[in-house]
Amino acid sequence: MASKSMAQNNFKALVVWLILNGRTEEALALLSKNYRVNLPNLEVGLPKGRKIKAYGCYTAKNETISVRNSDVLMNPFVIIHEFYHHLRSKAVDRMHRGTEKNADKFASSFLQEYQEAVKNVQNIT
Ligand SMILES: [Zn+2]
């Protein structure tokens, strides 16, 4: 990322890139700053009573994104999906908000921008 404006233009791509490279904490810091929300906690291991099938979940009460295992820390779709719940549950009542469909759409928009950025780089080189 050469300049500030370039980083801003590629914000979503950068977030995905960071997660793919295991820099998930940095990605969450960037997301929180961009959307002006608290930095969510991140933990490996799902809270008890969760469906084993889930890759991740968000607990609004303690603003924590939990992932099933450390592999999922590098899964941009899951991390961004759970961040969406964080984004939607901020403020007053700390309820879990935002539909699954919208969370998926939010995450997809990041992955799409990343894929486009990769394509552009391939066209240059
Ligand atoms: Zn969800």
Side-chain angles (χ1 to χ4, degrees), residues 4-105:
K4 198 181 174 190
S5 68
M6 193 181 171
Q8 277 167 348
N9 290 339
N10 292 291
F11 167 73
K12 290 181 174 181
L14 178 60
V15 166
V16 172
W17 184 86
L18 285 169
I19 296 168
L20 287 172
N21 285 277
R23 293 161 68 176
T24 306
E25 299 272 4
E26 276 174 76
L28 288 174
L30 197 63
L31 282 164
S32 302
K33 204 178 146 197
N34 188 70
Y35 292 101
R36 296 189 174 85
V37 294
N38 292 340
L39 182 65
N41 301 304
L42 180 64
E43 70 174 19
V44 176
L46 296 179
K48 275 180 191 158
R50 290 280 168 167
K51 278 178 285 178
I52 291 169
K53 264 166 87 177
Y55 284 104
C57 73
Y58 176 70
T59 309
K61 199 172 60 185
N62 56 5
E63 297 187 275
T64 299
I65 292 172
S66 307
V67 294
R68 185 160 71 176
N69 56 46
S70 55
D71 289 348
V72 182
L73 286 175
M74 290 164 78
N75 184 323
F77 192 84
V78 175
I79 299 294
I80 298 167
H81 174 112
E82 299 308 334
F83 181 82
Y84 178 83
H85 290 309
H86 173 64
L87 196 58
R88 297 296 302 219
S89 67
K90 67 180 172 143
V92 258
D93 52 6
R94 299 244 172 271
M95 291 283 287
H96 193 289
R97 290 260 163 85
T99 65
E100 293 309 305
K101 210 175 98 185
N102 285 337
D104 284 348
K105 237 191 255 175

